[in-house]
Amino acid sequence: MEDRKVVIIGLDCLEPTLVERWIDDLPNLKRIMEEGIYGKIRSTDPPITIPAWSAMMSGYSPGSLGLYGFRNRGDFSYDALKLATSRTVKKKRVWDILSDRGKKVVLLGVPQTYPPNRVNGQMVSGWLTPDTSAQYTYPTSLKSELVDVFGEYIIDVKDFRTDDKERLLREIYAFSNQHFDIAEYMITKKNWDFFMMVDMGPDRFHHGFWKFFDTTHPKHVPGNELSDCVREYYIFLDGRLGRLLKKVPEESVIVVVSDHGAQPMMGGVAINEWLIDKGYLAVKDYPKELTPIRKIEIDWEKTKAWGEGGYYCRIFVNVKGREPKGVVDPGDYDDFLNEIIDEISNMKDESGNLIGNVCFRPGDLYREVNGIPPDIFVYLGNLRYRSVGSLGVGGYITYDNDTGPDDANHSFYGFFAMSGTESRGVRDGISIVDVAPTVLSLFGIDAPDDIEGKAIK
């Protein structure tokens, strides 16, 4: 274990059923699976990029981390949603522990690593880095080194919710190619015991192109010219994976993992339209056109609850003595939650069919609840519908996303495969918080006593 090397290739949103469907076209993934262990990995609640990657690499749930999305309430005011940066992660992640033990680490594009912190090695932050003028590497000299070799670093695919699919295809491939090019460079030029990269390309591809191949998608057009583009992208990723692994020492442990999966988006629920219909939310001027809820003047003295948009729905309750103009008496809080959960659970679509919403209180999901979570988590249509936060939609069921065209929602299970140990075969019941203790065990390091995951054998 003293000389062991571990490589994690993170492919954000890689969907396990698509890997299974196209496995004969994916020889490198197939080899890792055949030479090791593999299975579906249960993502976090909620199954979204932040908090999923930090939960994966720390071994703690979003409740313990106090992270429930890429923006979280900083206090109980109405407009204090703050970006979840690296500084909001209070638990040590794998690379922190390995650095403390003198192991060399190299990180590339891992979500929630901006601003980069000191590690015993190298770090290039990824998604949520504000722009390339920011200092996104540790050490600082690494930034100019990479720019000299690869040009300007591509942090993310800009405006990926677009109808300009030709541009989107071009930019996702450029994005993923640069990430794998930098990965090949760093894995050969730098000293490391633990290497980890995350490519957000699969996530952008699913959101941009799911409807073209999935005949069950409500917007699928039979015979379209892009019907094979997702399979072709998976083949491309597999090829880049194979190229990268040729540069890795043969005895290395290889882990390929995604933070969540993907599924077709069947529609959206304009949650604040619904809350107005039910009398829970009041606004002073209903907009004449589609308008984000944050730009609308809410009549807080008449509002009991409001919602946020996103891949899952967050309901916040306007509690007296907690929020600045709260109206729900704390003594009525539980009864009010039960009432609104019952109403949401019985929400119907335009045909009168139950949408299939699933609601949770924070305490239902986590053994520990830190930070300020939503009062209610809602998986609309069990995540087959997204939450549309804007008003001006004209009804609460919609088939258009208020932040641009989007074909896919997240699903609860991602992909996991690991080779380079003596273990073989399919594994069931893998949790995303199991990855961190697994990596630590590979180096012979005990995980923290209160960690929520367990090592995968």
Side-chain angles (χ1 to χ4, degrees):
M1 289 184 186
E2 189 66 29
D3 299 325
R4 174 159 268 171
K5 293 184 180 296
V6 176
V7 175
I8 294 185
I9 310 298
L11 299 173
D12 193 287
C13 198
L14 194 76
E15 167 54 34
T17 60
L18 296 186
V19 173
E20 181 181 7
R21 178 172 172 176
W22 296 322
I23 190 62
D24 289 337
D25 297 322
L26 309 172
N28 296 295
L29 272 176
K30 186 175 184 178
R31 186 173 65 253
I32 294 169
M33 294 163 68
E34 289 178 343
E35 294 178 356
I37 61 175
Y38 64 95
K40 293 180 179 179
I41 183 169
R42 179 60 162 83
S43 185
T44 47
D45 285 289
I48 54 178
T49 297
I50 291 174
W53 286 108
S54 286
M56 182 192 297
M57 300 316 299
S58 70
Y60 294 91
S61 72
S64 294
L65 295 172
L67 300 168
Y68 307 100
F70 79 94
R71 291 178 302 168
N72 297 270
R73 293 184 85 178
D75 55 41
F76 286 105
S77 61
Y78 298 117
D79 55 0
L81 289 176
K82 295 182 177 179
L83 278 178
T85 70
S86 63
R87 290 174 178 148
T88 58
V89 182
K90 305 303 182 188
K91 300 286 189 182
K92 286 189 175 183
R93 287 174 279 185
V94 159
W95 50 82
D96 300 314
I97 297 172
L98 293 177
S99 290
D100 290 345
R101 297 297 190 98
K103 297 295 183 184
K104 287 287 187 181
V105 303
V106 171
L107 305 169
L108 169 61
V110 182
Q112 215 172 359
T113 54
Y114 178 82
N117 62 298
R118 179 187 294 271
V119 291
N120 185 30
Q122 318 269 325
M123 177 185 291
V124 183
S125 63
W127 185 56
L128 295 187
T129 299
D131 58 56
T132 53
S133 68
Q135 179 51 48
Y136 56 80
T137 68
Y138 178 84
T140 56
S141 59
L142 178 61
K143 178 179 176 180
S144 58
E145 177 186 340
L146 294 179
V147 170
D148 287 345
V149 178
F150 300 101
E152 185 170 352
Y153 179 51
I154 305 174
I155 298 168
D156 196 0
V157 179
K158 294 179 180 177
D159 303 322
F160 66 91
R161 294 190 181 97
T162 176
D163 285 321
D164 186 350
K165 300 304 181 185
E166 184 177 344
R167 175 188 67 80
L168 185 58
L169 268 178
R170 186 171 61 248
E171 293 190 4
I172 293 177
Y173 273 96
F175 175 60
S176 294
N177 265 322
Q178 191 198 58
H179 270 205
F180 275 95
D181 286 346
I182 295 174
E184 289 184 18
Y185 176 84
M186 295 186 74
I187 215 162
T188 52
K189 299 287 186 182
K190 308 300 179 185
N191 184 18
W192 56 273
D193 301 294
F194 174 76
F195 175 91
M196 179 175 182
M197 69 168 289
V198 174
D199 183 34
M200 295 287 290
D203 182 270
R204 298 338 187 196
F205 220 99
H206 291 150
H207 291 302
F209 295 100
W210 191 282
K211 70 180 179 186
F212 293 100
F213 82 93
D214 185 350
T215 57
T216 71
H217 194 285
K219 294 186 177 181
H220 177 74
V221 176
N224 72 80
E225 293 181 350
L226 294 173
S227 61
D228 204 32
C229 73
V230 176
R231 187 184 70 89
E232 290 171 349
Y233 180 70
Y234 270 59
I235 293 171
F236 155 80
L237 283 177
D238 185 80
R240 291 303 320 236
L241 173 66
R243 261 182 61 173
L244 180 63
L245 295 185
K246 287 181 180 177
K247 300 181 183 300
V248 172
E250 287 187 5
E251 68 276 13
S252 302
V253 175
I254 307 297
V255 178
V256 180
V257 65
S258 59
D259 56 333
H260 54 74
Q263 60 181 321
M265 188 182 295
M266 307 308 285
V269 172
I271 189 64
N272 288 312
E273 298 277 8
W274 183 86
L275 288 167
I276 288 175
D277 286 350
K278 293 293 180 181
Y280 295 127
L281 170 64
V283 297
K284 293 187 175 178
D285 289 303
Y286 186 83
K288 296 178 181 177
E289 58 187 17
L290 196 66
T291 305
I293 189 70
R294 294 186 200 88
K295 295 183 178 180
I296 294 171
E297 189 175 3
I298 295 175
D299 188 346
W300 291 110
E301 286 83 359
K302 298 178 182 176
T303 290
K304 292 184 176 179
W306 75 100
E308 284 287 338
Y311 293 119
Y312 81 106
C313 176
R314 292 178 285 178
I315 299 289
F316 299 103
V317 177
N318 195 23
V319 181
K320 192 181 297 182
R322 192 183 76 173
E323 273 72 18
K325 298 180 180 178
V327 297
V328 175
D329 192 286
D332 297 331
Y333 178 76
D334 283 335
D335 287 342
F336 178 68
L337 287 191
N338 289 336
E339 173 188 319
I340 199 168
I341 285 172
D342 184 62
E343 292 265 19
I344 292 173
S345 300
N346 286 292
M347 187 185 293
K348 295 179 179 177
D349 64 17
E350 294 165 320
S351 301
N353 300 312
L354 286 174
I355 292 175
N357 299 336
V358 182
C359 301
F360 300 97
R361 301 185 190 199
D364 298 334
L365 297 171
Y366 312 118
R367 78 176 188 190
E368 183 178 353
V369 179
N370 292 317
I372 304 179
D375 293 283
I376 307 171
F377 294 72
V378 186
Y379 296 154
L380 295 162
N382 206 21
L383 283 183
R384 291 173 73 81
Y385 285 67
R386 84 173 267 131
S387 174
V388 174
S390 296
L391 290 178
V393 179
Y396 69 82
I397 298 296
T398 179
Y399 296 94
D400 294 314
N401 181 29
D402 57 343
T403 57
D406 197 329
D407 294 351
N409 206 342
H410 295 177
S411 63
F412 297 104
Y413 288 90
F415 175 84
F416 177 87
M418 178 171 71
S419 67
T421 71
E422 294 181 351
S423 300
R424 299 287 184 275
V426 179
R427 293 291 183 275
D428 296 322
I430 302 173
S431 168
I432 196 165
V433 293
D434 295 340
V435 176
T438 301
V439 173
L440 294 176
S441 73
L442 290 169
F443 285 103
I445 297 173
D446 291 336
D449 290 339
D450 63 342
I451 204 166
E452 296 180 47
K454 60 184 184 304
I456 304 163
K457 303 294 184 183

